[in-house]
């Protein structure tokens, strides 16, 4: 819960430059880089209704305009509507002799009701339905015919434009034959010949639509304000609010009596993909009820986690001690080294740039390099760390994660002046830090801490790639250590 | 029709239409009659722990982040499609800041990797919903009133008029009037003012509005007790209900009221189309839904025509108003949907579509204010411009 409710005291710097807590980061096992929601590609995986948890294939969802056919929202308070049944005596039909026998037993009729605001579908005069789910009347758009006419008209124009273009192209290259054609000799054009033969003219399709189209007619009469507007009492409960209107963009009712139940909007499960290598970072399970993932490359399972245990107050120009907890979430032993961000070797980066430019020159079409998301605001602009680690880099080795470790009797105690304690895959570290003399009092004391860690890649390598399993990776975390005193 | 759509779906993904207004965002598919969602142009900003408006930005980076968040919300919460490899029709005002346009293009092409985008200006799109050849589009947005003449699908750029006379002006006046009634320390949040405007305000006819200015004001309409969430209630007097929209019609020496800018726009248009423009007025935009606004504008226009400086220069005849086949708020969006169905959706007319490859090569948008785009090909200045490319 601490991750959700508390401010982010420790933030990691993503490869794209964003500052994020470890819980909202991903780790691509194929490029061995940290990714965040900003620099990955989101994809719609599957549609489902959040109320009835029913899966809907995407083609069906498209046809139904992304709405569930059996769940509805209250148009008045946006709560989910419930289906209620009531017993009704069907009306006696006169003159139907054998109908009487059937009408004896009562029939169940269903209506929709909101348990929150007591709105019911009967309030607005929607007839009760004989079936419990679905079958609710659909309302056509009030402007549908006009819009269809406009659509046809513009499609016809687009088609005609296209044909004209093709015609022009053809005319440019068409060489008139040497020989006289029949039409040349007789002065009979193709259109005339068609006319005589009683055939419809050749380009009937689009041009007739264009010819038949009637544009909207303006009128000088504008609806005046009704006279009773100045004397009528306003009942606020009878007028819809803006959110209520916009919930159904097609009708936008202004009167409460025109509100109709709103079919529930579907939700989607998203899968996420690394932009660089196109591998999936997360892929949810298909079942809407399940919150598990098929693929889940979260940074939380792959990069060492830093937590702050305690710290002395930071004073400008003075040294102080910070107690940190480091943990290794992977299944392999990890060598960790804490250092200053300046000490991260830059070789890596240059190599990558070279690769990029090579790729760019090779595949102009893909433009993967040119079309990357623009460098997000450099983290240094957002946060200026004024605290740095001093002394030699702290180098420790953290054992692998072991679920059975809690049953061990005696934990190893190799405590010294750096390692405070050690427990399974976690250890406490004492770190000496110095605050800059120029740091202003009361400003945030931010410690930039670079982590060098060994990482065992468990992805089976591609056939032709060199089988390199152990990597030395770097990441930087920003720790907020209160304010400068 | 259904078959036609089916074929289009197989051929190509249906394009989306985005109208990113300063107050409400309209988003949906081309070829449909109404947007799929109309939501406030804001998103939950987790770092600041509040709803943040898209137009709240001080740096280009902040705007970039805002747009990324907003589009994520639209694509994955409301319309539920993959943005990748799908075309977009962006409906925008002619007066959108260059920074905003360029940043939106950057977000769409690089962050969401859309395959192509059509930039469509809202006056032209509004006129498209009518199919009439000559239209005068008066759009009352959240912040600004824009008047543009669309003649055969071309906007007469030199005649475009804009004044800060949108819904915000009405709201500010309403607050001012309510403070006169209920004491100067009345503070109402923006959404409450919007709700009061939507539920109670109206625009009275011209004759009645004149009486309000005279010594014998008319009998005011009924006052309304508007309940507030925590502070009890506020009494919205009939005077406040009626006069809230008056700033749109208030004339001063600047001649910057709504009817004034309509007539100025007509006056700056070519003389041949002026009568046609007056006979084809389309009033759209969210603020145009105020009851009685259309009638009042018509009366004011008829009256102003008889006054100098217009009386000597305009012979317009009767003003006629169109009704668009959409709600006032989503009129420009509908135009975009129609335009997209013809162009982006059908795959025809590739000339207007800016594809991703082209954008990646040039990294800028065509713009009517840009000399690179509006200098004729054989103009002597052209050579200088091409050098800078």
């Amino acid at each position: 819960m601490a991750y959700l409710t508390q401010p982010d005291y420790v933030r990691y710097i993503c490869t794209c430059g964003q500052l994020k807590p470890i819980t909202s980061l991903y780790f691509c096992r194929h490029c061995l880089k940290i990714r965040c929601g900003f620099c990955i590609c989101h994809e719609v995986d599957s549609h489902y209704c959040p109320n009835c948890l029913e899966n809907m294939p995407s083609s069906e969802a498209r046809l139904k305009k992304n709405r569930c056919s059996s769940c509805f929202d209250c148009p008045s308070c946006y709560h989910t509507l419930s289906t209620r049944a009531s017993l009704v005596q069907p009306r006696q039909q006169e003159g139907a002799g054998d109908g009487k026998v059937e009408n004896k037993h009562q029939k169940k009729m269903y209506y929709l009701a909101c348990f929150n605001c007591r709105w019911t579908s009967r309030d607005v005069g929607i007839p009760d339905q004989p079936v419990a789910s679905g079958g609710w009347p659909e309302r056509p758009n009030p402007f549908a015919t006009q819009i269809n006419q406009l659509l046809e008209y513009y499609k016809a124009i687009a088609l005609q434009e296209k044909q004209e273009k093709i015609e022009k192209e053809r005319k440019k290259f068409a060489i008139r034959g040497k020989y006289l054609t029949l039409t040349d000799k007789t002065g009979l054009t193709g259109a005339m010949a068609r006319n005589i033969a009683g055939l419809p003219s050749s380009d009937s399709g689009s041009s007739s639509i264009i010819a038949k189209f009637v544009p909207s007619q303006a009128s000088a009469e504008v609806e005046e304000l009704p006279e009773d507007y100045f004397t009528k009492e306003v009942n606020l409960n009878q007028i819809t609010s803006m959110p209520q209107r916009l919930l159904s963009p097609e009708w936008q009712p202004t009167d409460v009596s025109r509100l109709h139940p709103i079919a529930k909007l579907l939700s989607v499960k998203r899968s996420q993909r690394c932009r660089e290598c196109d591998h999936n970072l997360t892929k949810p399970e298909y079942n809407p009820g399940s919150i598990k993932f098929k693929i889940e490359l979260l940074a939380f399972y792959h990069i060492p986690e830093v937590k702050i245990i305690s710290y002395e107050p930071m004073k400008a120009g003075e040294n102080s001690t910070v107690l940190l907890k480091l943990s290794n979430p992977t299944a392999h032993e990890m060598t960790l080294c804490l250092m200053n961000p300046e000490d991260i070797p830059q070789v890596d980066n240059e190599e990558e740039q070279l690769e990029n430019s090579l790729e760019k020159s090779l595949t102009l079409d893909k433009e993967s390099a040119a079309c990357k998301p623009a460098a997000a605001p450099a983290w240094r602009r957002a946060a200026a760390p004024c605290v740095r680690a001093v002394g030699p880099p702290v180098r420790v080795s953290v054992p692998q994660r072991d679920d059975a470790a809690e049953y061990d009797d005696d934990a190893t105690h190799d405590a010294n002046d750096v390692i405070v304690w050690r427990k399974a895959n976690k250890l406490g570290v004492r770190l000496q830090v110095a605050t800059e003399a120029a740091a202003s009092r009361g400003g945030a004391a931010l410690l930039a801490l670079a982590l060098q860690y060994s990482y065992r890649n468990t992805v089976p390598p591609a056939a032709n790639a060199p089988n390199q399993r152990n990597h030395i990776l770097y990441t930087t975390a920003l720790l907020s250590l209160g304010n400068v005193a | 029709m259904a078959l036609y759509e089916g074929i289009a779906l197989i051929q190509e993904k249906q394009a989306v239409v985005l109208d990113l207004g300063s107050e409400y965002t309209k988003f949906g598919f081309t070829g449909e009659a109404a947007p799929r969602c109309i939501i406030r142009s804001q998103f939950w900003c987790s770092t600041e722990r509040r709803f943040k408006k898209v137009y709240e930005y001080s740096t280009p980076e902040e705007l970039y982040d805002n747009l990324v968040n907003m589009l994520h919300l639209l694509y994955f919460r409301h319309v539920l499609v993959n943005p990748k490899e799908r075309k977009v029709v962006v409906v925008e005002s002619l007066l959108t800041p260059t920074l905003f346009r360029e940043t939106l293009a950057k977000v769409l092409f690089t962050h969401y990797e859309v395959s192509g985008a059509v930039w469509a200006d809202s006056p032209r799109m509004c006129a498209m919903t009518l199919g009439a050849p000559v239209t005068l589009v008066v759009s009352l947005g959240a912040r600004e009133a824009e008047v543009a003449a669309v003649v055969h699908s071309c906007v007469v750029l030199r005649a475009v008029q804009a004044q800060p006379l949108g819904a915000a002006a009405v709201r500010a006046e309403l607050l001012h009037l309510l403070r006169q009634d209920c004491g100067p320390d009345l503070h109402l949040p923006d959404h409450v003012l919007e709700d009061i405007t939507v539920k109670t305000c109206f625009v009275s006819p011209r004759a009645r509005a004149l009486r309000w200015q005279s010594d014998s004001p008319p009998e005011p309409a009924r006052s309304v007790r508007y309940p507030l969430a925590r502070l009890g209630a506020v009494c919205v007097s009939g005077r406040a209900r009626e006069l809230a929209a008056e700033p749109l019609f208030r004339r001063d020496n600047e001649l910057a009221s709504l009817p004034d800018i309509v007539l100025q726009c007509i006056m700056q248009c070519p003389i041949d189309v002026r009568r046609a423009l007056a006979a084809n007025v389309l009033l759209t935009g969210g603020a145009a839904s105020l009851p009685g606004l259309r009638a009042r504008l018509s009366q004011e226009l008829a009256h102003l025509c008889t006054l100098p400086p217009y009386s000597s220069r305009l012979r317009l005849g009767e003003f006629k108003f169109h009704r668009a086949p959409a709600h006032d708020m989503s009129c420009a969006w509908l135009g975009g949907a129609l335009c997209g169905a013809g162009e982006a959706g059908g795959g025809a007319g590739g000339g207007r579509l800016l594809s991703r490859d082209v954008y990646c090569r040039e990294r800028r948008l065509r713009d009517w204010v840009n000399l690179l785009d509006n200098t004729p090909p054989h103009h002597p200045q052209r050579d200088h411009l091409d050098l800078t490319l």
Side-chain angles (χ1 to χ4, degrees):
Chain A
M1 275 308 276
Y3 291 113
L4 294 176
T5 54
Q6 288 193 4
D8 307 319
Y9 293 112
V10 179
R11 288 171 297 171
Y12 286 73
I13 297 169
C14 173
T15 318
C16 68
Q18 296 258 319
L19 284 174
K20 293 269 167 83
I22 192 170
T23 43
S24 46
L25 289 172
Y26 305 87
F27 182 83
C28 179
R29 286 200 299 179
H30 306 273
C31 354
L32 299 174
K33 281 193 185 125
I34 297 176
R35 305 268 176 231
C36 69
F38 189 81
C39 56
I40 54 178
C41 185
H42 301 255
E43 279 169 16
V44 172
D45 209 51
S46 60
H47 296 77
Y48 68 97
C49 170
N51 187 43
C52 59
L53 291 181
E54 195 77 34
N55 242 324
M56 199 184 263
S58 62
S59 54
E60 197 188 337
R62 192 165 54 199
L63 274 180
K64 290 188 172 165
K65 298 200 162 184
N66 290 336
R67 299 207 175 255
C68 180
S69 48
S70 52
C71 303
F72 292 91
D73 277 339
C74 173
S76 178
C77 70
Y78 332 127
H79 193 256
T80 307
L81 290 176
S82 317
T83 311
R84 306 296 298 159
S86 63
L87 290 172
V88 285
Q89 191 79 49
R91 220 173 286 153
Q92 295 281 327
Q93 280 178 351
E94 278 122 76
D98 49 339
K100 264 183 189 168
V101 188
E102 266 180 48
N103 286 349
K104 275 275 165 63
H105 59 85
Q106 287 179 326
K107 208 174 156 198
K108 264 190 176 177
M109 294 295 268
Y110 298 90
Y111 66 98
L112 296 169
C114 175
F115 288 172
N116 185 34
C117 69
R118 298 280 158 198
W119 182 90
T120 67
S121 62
R122 288 169 171 178
D123 291 357
V124 294
I126 302 172
D128 289 5
Q129 293 296 309
V131 282
S133 65
W136 293 98
E138 278 181 29
R139 286 178 300 168
N141 189 299
F143 308 110
T145 46
Q146 243 173 313
I147 287 167
N148 280 345
Q149 202 188 5
L150 280 165
L151 266 176
E152 261 171 39
Y153 174 60
Y154 287 121
K155 271 180 187 157
I157 285 187
L159 200 72
Q160 201 182 37
E161 250 176 32
K162 207 175 172 184
Q163 274 172 352
E164 268 168 20
K165 214 186 220 171
I166 294 168
E167 202 86 340
K168 217 185 248 172
E169 292 281 298
R170 203 192 298 154
K171 274 200 183 131
K172 238 184 244 170
F173 298 108
I175 304 157
R176 251 183 117 75
K178 284 186 221 166
Y179 309 108
L180 283 177
T181 59
L182 179 73
T183 53
D184 279 348
K185 224 180 342 194
T186 56
L188 187 73
T189 62
M192 279 162 81
R194 276 175 166 278
N195 212 357
I196 292 164
L199 293 168
S201 59
S202 57
D203 53 353
S204 62
S206 59
S207 66
S208 76
I209 291 173
I210 294 172
K212 262 195 284 173
F213 176 74
V214 192
S216 149
Q217 293 299 319
S219 75
E221 276 130 50
V222 211
E223 74 269 44
E224 296 279 335
L225 205 63
E227 201 48 46
D228 65 342
Y229 229 95
F230 305 117
T231 51
K232 202 173 54 179
E233 191 81 44
V234 178
N235 186 356
L236 287 179
N237 297 330
Q238 287 302 315
I239 307 169
T240 53
S241 70
M242 227 34 205
Q244 285 172 345
R245 288 179 200 188
L246 299 181
L247 218 52
S248 53
E250 290 177 302
W251 300 280
Q252 304 190 10
T254 52
D255 211 352
V256 167
S257 61
R258 303 292 298 271
L259 288 175
H260 271 236
I262 288 151
K264 194 118 187 150
L265 189 69
L266 298 180
S267 293
V268 286
K269 288 202 162 197
R270 269 179 296 141
S271 62
Q272 286 156 329
R273 219 174 256 286
C274 174
R275 266 177 208 263
E276 261 171 47
C277 63
D278 273 351
H279 282 96
N280 264 97
L281 289 174
T282 63
K283 193 163 179 60
E285 279 185 4
Y286 189 63
N287 174 18
S290 163
I291 54 163
K292 289 182 179 161
F293 289 87
K294 280 188 218 155
I295 303 171
E296 192 179 25
L297 298 179
L298 307 182
F300 193 64
Y301 299 134
H302 292 276
I303 62 172
E305 194 194 351
V306 182
K307 279 186 174 180
I308 305 167
I309 298 174
S310 67
Y311 53 84
E312 292 173 357
M314 304 290 142
K315 286 191 182 119
E318 284 181 29
N319 283 12
S320 34
T321 314
V322 182
L323 283 183
L324 299 176
K325 182 165 118 180
L326 306 173
S327 52
N328 171 13
T330 63
H332 305 279
E333 187 167 345
M334 188 179 265
T335 329
L336 256 173
C337 179
L338 305 181
M339 48 196 203
N340 280 314
E342 307 86 88
D343 303 335
I344 296 180
Q346 291 299 312
V347 195
D348 243 4
N349 227 344
E350 277 163 27
E351 219 169 68
E352 185 209 354
Q353 274 171 4
L354 201 103
E355 221 168 74
N356 260 350
S357 61
L358 200 77
E359 195 183 316
K360 196 167 134 193
S361 58
L362 284 177
T363 57
L364 250 174
D365 197 39
K366 208 186 164 199
E367 281 142 338
S368 60
C371 270
K372 289 262 176 54
W379 57 273
R380 278 198 181 275
R381 225 177 306 152
C386 60
V387 186
R388 58 200 307 279
V390 287
V394 174
R395 193 175 288 275
V396 290
S397 146
V398 193
Q400 69 271 28
R401 180 194 159 92
D402 179 9
D403 289 335
E406 57 179 301
Y407 307 119
D408 289 357
D409 268 344
D410 48 349
T412 45
H413 294 287
D414 61 341
N416 51 30
D417 56 342
V418 174
I419 298 171
V420 187
W421 49 263
R422 208 181 247 285
K423 198 176 176 187
N425 63 337
K426 305 180 187 73
L427 56 83
V429 163
R430 184 179 288 123
L431 187 71
Q432 296 296 325
V433 295
T435 314
E436 277 174 25
S440 60
R441 280 175 67 102
L446 276 179
L447 165 65
L449 194 63
L451 297 159
Q452 182 201 54
Y453 59 100
S454 61
Y455 179 77
R456 169 80 57 89
N457 197 359
T458 50
V459 181
N464 52 358
N467 189 359
Q468 192 195 357
R469 296 185 65 200
N470 293 314
H471 301 269
I472 301 288
L473 301 177
Y474 297 90
T475 181
T476 311
L478 278 191
L479 287 72
S480 32
L481 303 172
N483 292 333
V484 178
Chain B
M1 195 60 213
L3 180 70
Y4 199 102
E5 266 173 10
I7 292 168
L9 287 178
I10 296 163
Q11 280 173 341
E12 198 167 356
K13 285 177 185 167
Q14 213 175 354
V16 289
V17 184
L18 168 69
D19 183 355
L20 207 64
S22 51
E23 197 103 319
Y24 286 100
T25 294
K26 285 73 78 180
F27 198 58
F29 288 108
T30 56
E32 289 188 357
R36 284 290 177 86
C37 67
I38 303 180
I39 54 168
R40 284 191 170 273
S41 308
Q42 62 185 18
F43 59 92
W44 177 255
C45 181
S46 54
T47 51
E48 291 175 40
R49 303 232 160 219
R50 67 185 177 97
F51 280 104
K52 194 172 173 188
K53 287 194 171 167
V54 174
Y55 283 83
E56 247 175 69
Y57 61 91
S58 50
T59 58
E61 288 83 13
E62 198 181 348
L63 177 62
Y64 187 92
D65 283 0
N66 285 359
L67 287 170
V68 165
N69 284 316
M70 187 70 204
L71 286 174
H72 190 272
L73 181 75
L74 288 169
Y75 272 115
F76 294 106
R77 294 268 169 223
H78 291 278
V79 173
L80 314 181
V81 289
N82 279 332
K84 209 173 175 180
E85 307 305 323
R86 191 181 280 276
K87 286 171 185 161
V88 187
V89 179
V90 181
V91 181
E92 51 154 24
S93 157
L94 275 172
L95 304 172
T96 313
T98 308
L99 174 67
F100 191 86
R101 301 181 79 223
E102 297 281 349
T103 315
L104 182 59
K106 207 156 93 182
V107 170
L108 283 173
F109 283 117
T110 66
H111 198 277
Y112 286 103
E113 303 184 14
V114 300
S115 58
V118 180
W119 257 261
D121 51 285
S122 61
R124 219 154 40 101
M125 294 301 109
C126 288
M128 264 186 106
T129 60
L130 302 179
V134 178
T135 321
L136 185 71
V137 180
V138 181
S139 103
L140 294 181
R143 289 194 291 197
E144 285 198 328
E146 283 178 31
V147 185
V150 183
V151 182
H152 294 286
S153 301
C154 283
V155 183
V156 184
L157 285 170
R158 57 191 288 268
V160 171
Q161 303 283 330
Q163 287 295 335
L165 297 174
V170 177
R171 244 171 266 166
E173 178 73 7
L174 178 69
L175 186 63
H176 176 69
L177 290 167
L178 286 178
R179 278 186 180 155
Q180 284 180 4
D181 294 340
C182 311
D185 50 348
L186 180 76
H187 288 284
L188 294 173
D190 222 25
H191 68 270
V192 172
L193 281 173
E194 183 196 34
D195 202 42
I196 296 178
T197 319
V198 164
K199 284 184 174 171
T200 68
C201 290
F202 60 92
V203 189
S204 50
R206 183 180 144 74
R208 199 175 144 93
L210 284 179
R211 277 176 62 204
W212 273 107
Q213 288 164 16
S214 67
D215 294 332
S216 57
E219 179 77 13
R222 295 291 186 88
S223 61
V224 181
R225 223 178 103 82
Y226 183 88
L228 296 175
R230 282 192 205 101
L231 307 156
V234 61
C235 178
V236 185
S237 67
R239 181 166 164 271
R241 285 176 60 196
E242 198 168 341
L243 297 183
E246 277 321 292
L248 305 189
F249 303 101
R250 199 171 287 155
R251 297 191 74 201
D252 54 13
N253 291 334
E254 303 249 323
L255 298 184
S257 74
L258 182 63
D260 271 307
I261 59 172
V262 172
L263 289 178
Q264 278 160 23
C265 176
I266 296 180
M267 212 155 70
Q268 288 174 18
C269 278
I271 200 160
D272 313 308
V273 292
R274 288 183 193 167
R275 281 185 87 94
L277 284 173
N280 290 283
V281 183
L282 173 67
L283 185 62
T284 67
S289 320
L290 268 179
L293 184 68
R294 219 169 287 263
R296 175 72 184 276
L297 181 65
S298 152
Q299 292 157 1
E300 291 280 349
L301 285 174
H303 169 71
L304 270 192
C305 268
T306 60
L307 296 183
Y310 310 113
S311 57
S312 57
R313 298 192 52 192
L314 292 176
R315 300 276 181 278
L316 292 175
E318 209 171 17
F319 281 91
K320 288 184 182 170
F321 284 76
H322 278 284
R323 278 238 88 128
H327 292 278
D328 289 324
M329 184 182 252
S330 50
C331 183
W333 182 92
L334 177 67
L338 291 169
C339 164
E343 284 180 19
R352 271 150 270 178
L353 184 96
L354 176 67
S355 73
R356 185 152 175 262
D357 322 346
V358 175
Y359 177 79
C360 285
R361 232 174 287 136
E362 204 149 294
R363 301 222 143 231
R364 74 177 193 89
L365 295 176
R366 290 173 66 83
D367 197 358
W368 62 273
V369 284
N370 196 329
L371 282 176
L372 281 172
D373 301 319
N374 62 19
T375 314
H378 301 297
H379 195 273
Q381 295 286 325
R382 188 79 230 181
D383 302 336
H384 297 287
L385 292 171
D386 285 344
L387 279 179
T388 60
L389 254 179

